[in-house]
């Protein structure tokens, strides 16, 4: 099952086993045409859907004026590294982890990736990611609320197609 567009942003899941209220399987993101996630990992798909539903229904303030013109590497240096790598990112950004970090949405399947989502003044989205431990930061520009809309669609389809809810 795929929600969204692989060439922009999509969420792909493949259930492997549904037993005793658990839905176990594979999940990954597609960002700008690239697969992001460990497709060999088995994740709790219901847990992922819960995180994605929360992400879609409870938007956060992901706009920070000082990041709008920042390079992808600068965004990571200011938002990710001070929290996760313990390095000095310069001027602290208020609630940076809660506002910009999104790796948890795919649970263990995204453990090998560092993912950030920042928005511009008009709500346009910049999804930035890198493999954990690597320096190369990739970036994909998305439409206003595109990730949230895809996450919402994924959750609706997951409920219908995988869990059989109407």
């Amino acid at each position: 099952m795929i929600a969204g567009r692989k060439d922009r942003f999509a969420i792909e899941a493949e259930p492997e086993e549904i037993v005793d209220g658990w839905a176990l399987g594979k999940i990954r993101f597609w960002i700008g045409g690239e697969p992001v996630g460990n497709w060999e990992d088995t994740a709790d798909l219901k847990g992922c859907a819960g995180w994605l539903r929360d992400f879609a229904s409870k938007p956060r303030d992901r706009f920070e004026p000082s990041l709008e013109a920042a390079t992808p590497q600068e965004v990571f240096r200011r938002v990710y590294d001070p929290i996760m790598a313990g390095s000095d990112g310069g001027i602290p950004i208020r609630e940076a982890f809660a506002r910009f970090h999104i790796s948890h949405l795919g649970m263990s399947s995204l453990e090998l990736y560092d993912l950030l989502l920042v928005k511009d003044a008009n709500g346009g989205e910049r999804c930035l990611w890198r493999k954990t431990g690597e320096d190369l930061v990739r970036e994909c520009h998305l439409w206003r609320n595109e990730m949230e809309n895809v996450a919402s669609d994924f959750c609706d389809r997951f409920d219908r197609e995988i869990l059989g809810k109407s």
Side-chain angles (χ1 to χ4, degrees), residues 50-105:
W51 280 104
L52 289 163
R53 188 171 285 109
D54 189 60
F55 169 78
S57 65
K58 298 176 185 168
R60 296 201 178 261
D61 175 16
R62 298 184 196 281
F63 173 65
E64 179 65 40
S66 66
L67 297 177
E68 196 162 22
T71 66
Q73 293 77 12
E74 177 70 9
V75 172
F76 261 88
R77 189 183 72 72
R78 300 232 11 248
V79 173
Y80 186 90
D81 295 343
I83 297 165
M84 305 304 281
S87 64
D88 179 19
I91 300 167
I93 294 179
R94 177 184 56 84
E95 299 177 16
F97 185 81
R99 292 171 62 200
F100 305 111
H101 292 244
I102 60 168
S103 298
H104 65 283
L105 297 175

Side-chain angles (χ1 to χ4, degrees), residues 81-150:
D81 295 343
I83 297 165
M84 305 304 281
S87 64
D88 179 19
I91 300 167
I93 294 179
R94 177 184 56 84
E95 299 177 16
F97 185 81
R99 292 171 62 200
F100 305 111
H101 292 244
I102 60 168
S103 298
H104 65 283
L105 297 175
M107 297 177 122
S108 60
S109 295
L110 294 179
E111 284 180 348
L112 302 177
Y113 293 86
D114 308 324
L115 284 136
L116 301 174
L117 179 63
V118 298
K119 295 193 178 195
D120 63 27
N122 297 315
E125 298 178 340
R126 292 173 69 192
C127 184
L128 304 112
W129 74 100
R130 67 182 179 195
K131 278 200 151 185
T132 301
E134 293 185 4
D135 292 329
L136 177 63
V137 178
R138 292 174 172 80
E139 176 178 31
C140 182
H141 290 265
L142 301 170
W143 298 311
R144 179 183 177 93
N145 299 328
E146 187 170 354
M147 286 189 81
E148 293 92 334
N149 292 338
V150 169

